[in-house]
Amino acid sequence: MNLSMRWLREFVPLDEMPIRDFTEAMTLSGSKVETWAQEGAEISNVVVGKVVSLERHPDSDHLWITKTDVGSGEPLQIVTGAQNLKTGDIVPVALHNSTLPGGKKIKRGKLRGVVSNGMLCGITELGLTVHDFPSTIEDGIMVLTEADGCKLQLGMDIREALGYNDTVVEFEITSNRPDCFSVIGLAREAAATFNLPLKLHTPQVKGSAGNCAGLLDVKIEAPDLCPIYTNRVVKNVRVKPSPLWMRERLRAMGVRPINNIVDITNYVMLEYGQPMHAFDLRSVEGRKIRIRRAKPGETITTLDGVKRTLTDKQLVIADNSKPMAIAGVMGGEFSGIAKDTTTIVFESACFKGTSVRTTARDQGMRTEA
């Protein structure tokens, strides 16, 4: 399991502790550390810059000559082939003698006879994706915006500007310690290891009058495999990207950010160790949810796009006519959250651990849940 040190410090005051001291002590106390890494460690001498002018290259029909302000001295002349820039854009600038992921080195040079004092970077060149920064594009220069939560101070190290500087520790969690498959679980271990206070918070949930009973008919038909199943309906939802701080934490933990609703379920799972799922209420046929064993030969296409054949030993979350999720493993393709989703059903349940493990094994699936 990956652990974001930035997230861990929300619960345990470890700010001044060197990472080597932390990993060695945690291993000796029983929480074995496999390795640790600094995000963006391969990136150096890349800063935030602002495009102050653009002009066509005299010997090219696709190259642009930019003057880019990096917060010190005169603006730098940098040549780029990107077509998505305009004057005033804030961009990542790889300066002379900089390095990028994969060992790529950037030096001053000439492009068709014009001096270029570095390179303007796209998101893939920084080792990131559009899931990390949804407002950017893959084919072009990364344009930094306040909407994405980026820091726009000229000359700032790009890792700090993007929040791409967390320390990630990989733990080997054995099957007899499921309590450690969460940030809070490892925070308890860290607090005990270093004799430090554990600062937990109590979530505050404000709901309107009413309950789900008027919107959903829920029945547990296999109580031996699912003793507890709870859900909550949320209306007037707007599906959009999560804030930067949440995307940072999910990325550090090895989970790809998707949108605010999906990210909320993954965030809760990682923090508390309690898997969740969100359904679009429109996809719940008959407004009925049944927690039951699958019918022999019944099929479901899961969120990874794979059509799977189920057995009567496997537990599913179903509506009036079809399985919507494989319980405790993965949701179904057509029960997920879409851009136009407005009403969602959050579910949280207690499934029998052996049932989840054998189902995941038999289906060849290994997920965070």
Side-chain angles (χ1 to χ4, degrees):
M1 173 179 168
N2 288 350
L3 176 67
S4 158
M5 290 300 295
R6 185 175 294 155
W7 199 344
L8 179 69
R9 292 185 183 105
E10 182 178 314
F11 301 102
V12 186
L14 293 163
D15 294 338
E16 304 301 322
M17 182 171 296
I19 187 62
R20 290 187 183 277
D21 293 349
F22 172 79
T23 57
E24 289 175 4
M26 289 294 287
T27 296
L28 289 173
S29 69
S31 301
K32 184 182 177 183
V33 173
E34 288 288 300
T35 186
W36 63 271
Q38 185 77 36
E39 284 187 323
E42 292 184 289
I43 299 173
S44 68
N45 210 23
V46 181
V47 301
V48 176
K50 180 178 181 179
V51 177
V52 295
S53 72
L54 279 165
E55 63 179 82
R56 285 288 188 185
H57 192 294
D59 291 328
S60 172
D61 59 0
H62 74 280
L63 292 177
W64 291 89
I65 302 172
T66 77
K67 291 294 180 66
T68 304
D69 183 0
V70 294
S72 61
E74 292 294 318
L76 299 177
Q77 178 173 286
I78 297 177
V79 180
T80 179
Q83 305 301 309
N84 66 310
L85 290 177
K86 64 181 185 299
T87 301
D89 281 346
I90 308 296
V91 297
V93 182
L95 304 176
H96 175 58
N97 283 332
S98 60
T99 58
L100 296 172
K104 184 176 183 179
K105 297 185 182 298
I106 305 300
K107 294 182 179 293
R108 183 184 298 112
K110 289 185 177 181
L111 288 174
R112 297 203 176 180
V114 175
V115 172
S116 183
N117 293 291
M119 185 179 76
L120 308 184
C121 299
I123 191 166
T124 55
E125 289 159 335
L126 297 174
L128 297 166
T129 72
V130 293
H131 292 282
D132 299 305
F133 292 91
S135 70
T136 192
I137 59 175
E138 287 183 322
D139 185 18
I141 300 303
M142 181 183 187
V143 178
L144 310 183
T145 67
E146 291 183 349
D148 259 338
C150 303
K151 297 177 183 177
L152 306 183
Q153 180 181 336
L154 300 186
M156 177 182 284
D157 188 302
I158 197 64
R159 294 170 297 181
E160 182 181 354
L162 302 181
Y164 193 37
N165 54 358
D166 200 352
T167 301
V168 181
V169 179
E170 182 183 346
F171 285 87
E172 179 186 330
I173 308 297
T174 53
S175 59
N176 65 319
R177 292 302 307 273
D179 57 302
C180 290
F181 278 112
S182 66
V183 177
I184 289 179
L186 287 170
R188 292 184 188 279
E189 294 299 305
T193 298
F194 299 104
N195 194 27
L196 292 171
L198 179 68
K199 302 180 293 183
L200 299 180
H201 50 241
T202 302
Q204 300 295 322
V205 180
K206 296 180 180 179
S208 61
N211 56 55
C212 297
L215 296 171
L216 285 172
D217 175 20
V218 180
K219 185 178 293 185
I220 299 175
E221 297 181 355
D224 58 323
L225 300 183
C226 177
I228 300 173
Y229 183 89
T230 63
N231 52 35
R232 192 163 191 142
V233 174
V234 183
K235 299 180 179 180
N236 302 318
V237 165
R238 287 191 302 164
V239 178
K240 58 183 183 179
S242 298
L244 180 60
W245 64 266
M246 180 175 284
R247 300 197 309 270
E248 287 174 5
R249 291 185 177 189
L250 292 176
R251 181 186 65 228
M253 300 286 287
V255 176
R256 185 181 68 176
I258 303 294
N259 59 52
N260 52 349
I261 305 304
V262 175
D263 292 353
I264 285 169
T265 63
N266 285 329
Y267 191 92
V268 171
M269 174 185 67
L270 293 170
E271 182 166 279
Y272 287 90
Q274 172 60 50
M276 291 184 65
H277 190 64
F279 298 107
D280 187 326
L281 185 61
R282 297 174 302 181
S283 69
V284 184
E285 188 173 322
R287 297 291 178 90
K288 293 181 179 180
I289 291 181
R290 298 291 183 262
I291 300 87
R292 60 170 174 81
R293 286 175 167 82
K295 301 171 185 176
E298 197 168 28
T299 63
I300 181 175
T301 300
T302 45
L303 285 169
D304 56 3
V306 177
K307 185 176 181 180
R308 302 179 185 277
T309 301
L310 306 169
T311 73
D312 58 3
K313 294 181 180 180
Q314 297 170 351
L315 190 69
V316 297
I317 312 302
D319 61 14
N320 202 37
S321 64
K322 65 183 183 303
M324 298 188 296
I326 301 177
V329 183
M330 186 180 287
E333 183 178 38
F334 300 109
S335 67
I337 304 301
K339 290 182 179 180
D340 62 345
T341 296
T342 58
T343 305
I344 60 175
V345 182
F346 280 120
E347 73 159 26
S348 182
C350 178
F351 301 119
K352 188 175 181 180
T354 53
S355 172
V356 174
R357 286 196 299 274
T358 56
T359 296
R361 180 198 64 201
D362 293 346
Q363 290 291 342
M365 304 170 72
R366 186 171 181 84
T367 67
E368 287 82 6

